[in-house]
Amino acid sequence: QANPVTDALRAMVPGASRNFVGAAQEMPADKYGYHPTEAQRTFGALVLHVATSNDFLCSKISGQAAPNEAKLTAESPKADLVARVKRSFDYCESAFAKLNDAVLSDSIPFFGGHKVTKAAAMLDIAADWADHYGAAADYLRMNGHLPPTAKRGGM
């Protein structure tokens, strides 16, 4: 296999999208303002954070311009936030289509003004997808709803 790292990242996008978008769809609209503690994001803020992080990281990793999206807030309607996060995963899927392992050591701008390799950013986005889905799954369970993986017999 010529591009094992980028192929693996590409293969992760559909599952991460299915899980996180599914969680966003599952949470009732009236619970988008829920957060377990004052220090944690609201569910709506979590959904918006994933969307904006996807756009930023997938743009930096791929070298493609991030989509020009309408400005939303954590209090925007559920339908708008769900559609926004879905578009962000769709963007990542298309942005990663031509990625190859030859670019892994390229340096790119990262959060906080730091520079990292594309490989580090790829590991970061994969970890973010798991971390943020885990948080969304907990928020769902705290509100009496099963996360998508539990509904499919997973976690």
Side-chain angles (χ1 to χ4, degrees):
Q1 185 174 338
N3 297 294
V5 176
T6 51
D7 286 348
L9 181 65
R10 263 190 295 282
M12 293 178 75
V13 179
S17 177
R18 182 176 54 253
N19 289 341
F20 196 85
V21 173
Q25 291 167 331
E26 178 68 23
M27 183 65 89
D30 66 339
K31 296 294 185 181
Y32 263 59
Y34 172 79
H35 50 117
T37 70
E38 289 301 315
Q40 291 171 286
R41 291 181 175 108
T42 65
F43 191 83
L46 178 63
V47 172
L48 186 58
H49 170 75
V50 170
T52 58
S53 292
N54 280 353
D55 287 351
F56 176 81
L57 287 170
C58 294
S59 170
K60 297 305 178 194
I61 292 166
S62 69
Q64 295 181 12
N68 187 14
E69 289 282 348
K71 191 81 170 155
L72 296 177
T73 69
E75 294 77 30
S76 294
K78 172 186 172 176
D80 294 347
L81 291 169
V82 170
R84 175 72 177 83
V85 77
K86 175 153 183 7
R87 285 192 308 273
S88 77
F89 278 105
D90 291 345
Y91 165 68
C92 288
E93 194 163 12
S94 69
F96 292 166
K98 294 182 181 170
L99 208 55
N100 63 61
D101 287 8
V103 300
L104 293 176
S105 63
D106 292 357
S107 180
I108 58 172
F110 197 65
F111 296 111
H114 301 287
K115 287 201 170 252
V116 299
T117 63
K118 286 188 178 189
M122 289 175 195
L123 292 171
D124 185 78
I125 198 166
D128 277 357
W129 290 334
D131 177 48
H132 296 319
Y133 175 66
D138 286 344
Y139 283 30
L140 283 166
R141 287 183 184 275
M142 288 178 216
N143 284 281
H145 296 270
L146 286 178
T149 50
K151 286 182 172 188
R152 293 191 303 266
M155 300 175 183

